[in-house]
Amino acid sequence: MKLHHLLLAVLITAVWGVNFSVIKLGLHSVDPFILAGIRFTLCAIPAMLFIKKPNVPWRYLIGYGLVFGIGLWGLVNLGIKTGLSAGIASLLLQFSAFFTLFSGSWVFKERLSRYQIAGFAFSCAGLLSIFFITDGSVTLSGLLLVLMGAIAWSIANIIIKKADTKQVFAFLVWSSAFSPVPLFLLDGWVNGTSGYSSLFSHIDARAVISILFQVYPNTLFGYWIWNSLLKQYPVSTVAPLSLLVPVFGILGSTVIFGENIPPMKIVALFLILIGLVLGLYGQRLKRYFFERRIE
């Protein structure tokens, strides 16, 4: 990978990692579902007025919009709102990689390798170690909500794979149009009118910056650059860089909110990352080192 492309990819992972802290800033004055609803409204409008609908059936756009908007980011926002730290949220969401593997093995009859199973076991050990973190950055409800969000992300990955589209950016823009209304209705069902009345009276500059950051650098720009790199380079070259997301997530939470990084949090980070590397790239790494030994 060329150096400027490598730096660009690292920048995107940094944006995606810091985004969890930016979400938390917005949640100080905006309800979780409303925050997600505004985000996806701006992802869809006005972009869909200038970008043609991707050539896929409507069911894929609607399904992806609902699962990605509500199941993923609606639940992640709610999990962070319950008190889960932004850094821990960014780390837990990486479990979507394993949920995608498991759902893929069921939907597409893809056989799981021993490396994937071993990697999942390592990451589960990291997940269990999170329960021993006692600095106030972990809540059980937040942990469960973000893990549910990770499951939703894996389902969203299956939907986009089934859609089999090369117009990924257009797919993202048009599917975003189906997220806002259910999110706004869900907030009204849960909180009544209080979320909307407080929105207009309490929204501040932090919330506005949070929304704009989530829409443009994080979603539209980030996914556009990432998918462009995936078109130019092998997936095996680009995808491993996504493991930097929880690293930047924890660093961002440390800088912005002064989140502590006790030894147990470092243990959880390394166990989950080792599990991801083993599960996603174990076979490839074995082949690489085996070939080098032969040479």
Side-chain angles (χ1 to χ4, degrees):
M1 182 181 287
K2 295 179 180 178
L3 179 60
H4 66 283
H5 285 157
L6 175 61
L7 294 175
L8 199 55
V10 172
L11 172 64
I12 297 304
T13 62
V15 168
W16 285 346
V18 172
N19 183 59
F20 290 87
S21 294
V22 174
I23 288 173
K24 190 168 185 174
L25 288 174
L27 291 172
H28 281 295
S29 57
V30 182
D31 278 3
F33 294 128
I34 294 178
L35 186 68
I38 296 173
R39 168 186 178 174
F40 286 103
T41 298
L42 294 178
C43 283
I45 301 173
M48 64 186 301
L49 300 177
F50 305 98
I51 299 174
K52 288 180 62 176
K53 172 186 171 293
N55 188 25
V56 298
W58 283 103
R59 66 180 181 274
Y60 292 123
L61 293 171
I62 296 171
Y64 188 87
L66 294 176
V67 173
F68 192 71
I70 302 171
L72 173 53
W73 291 110
L75 292 181
V76 169
N77 285 6
L78 190 60
I80 294 175
K81 182 68 173 181
T82 66
L84 188 70
S85 79
I88 293 296
S90 69
L91 184 59
L92 288 174
L93 201 57
Q94 302 311 305
F95 271 83
S96 65
F98 288 111
F99 295 142
T100 299
L101 290 174
F102 293 142
S103 57
S105 68
W106 178 55
V107 175
F108 300 106
K109 309 302 180 185
E110 298 171 349
R111 187 177 179 181
L112 293 174
S113 72
R114 58 182 177 179
Y115 297 99
Q116 291 167 339
I117 295 172
F120 181 68
F122 265 96
S123 292
C124 283
L127 175 62
L128 290 174
S129 68
I130 289 176
F131 287 98
F132 296 96
I133 297 173
T134 57
D135 62 356
S137 63
V138 177
T139 62
L140 178 59
S141 58
L143 188 149
L144 293 176
L145 284 165
V146 174
L147 285 177
M148 288 171 62
I151 294 173
W153 197 359
S154 71
I155 296 172
N157 289 335
I158 295 296
I159 292 173
I160 200 167
K161 186 172 182 179
K162 293 279 283 186
D164 192 27
T165 179
K166 292 182 172 61
Q167 303 165 287
V168 179
F169 186 75
F171 187 93
L172 177 66
V173 168
W174 278 77
S175 63
S176 294
F178 298 98
S179 303
V181 171
L183 283 164
F184 292 142
L185 291 176
L186 188 58
D187 189 84
W189 180 61
V190 173
N191 300 313
T193 60
S194 62
Y196 295 100
S197 59
S198 63
L199 172 66
F200 296 105
S201 60
H202 292 88
I203 193 168
D204 54 16
R206 289 184 302 178
V208 173
I209 293 172
S210 171
I211 292 167
L212 295 177
F213 184 91
Q214 291 176 63
V215 173
Y216 299 108
N218 180 73
T219 304
L220 296 181
F221 177 74
Y223 280 91
W224 171 52
I225 293 297
W226 192 261
N227 289 316
S228 297
L229 291 174
L230 286 173
K231 289 181 181 179
Q232 294 184 56
Y233 298 99
V235 174
S236 59
T237 300
V238 180
L241 294 171
S242 65
L243 296 175
L244 292 173
V245 172
V247 176
F248 285 116
I250 290 176
L251 289 175
S253 188
T254 301
V255 172
I256 296 174
F257 297 107
E259 179 181 343
N260 295 322
I261 308 181
M264 191 56 67
K265 194 170 291 186
I266 296 174
V267 170
L269 174 65
F270 275 102
L271 283 174
I272 292 176
L273 288 181
I274 289 171
L276 285 166
V277 171
L278 182 60
L280 299 178
Y281 311 108
Q283 185 69 47
R284 194 175 298 126
L285 289 172
K286 177 189 176 184
R287 192 181 304 118
Y288 172 76
F289 287 115
F290 181 74
E291 288 174 354
R292 289 198 62 178
R293 186 180 300 175
I294 292 177
E295 293 175 358

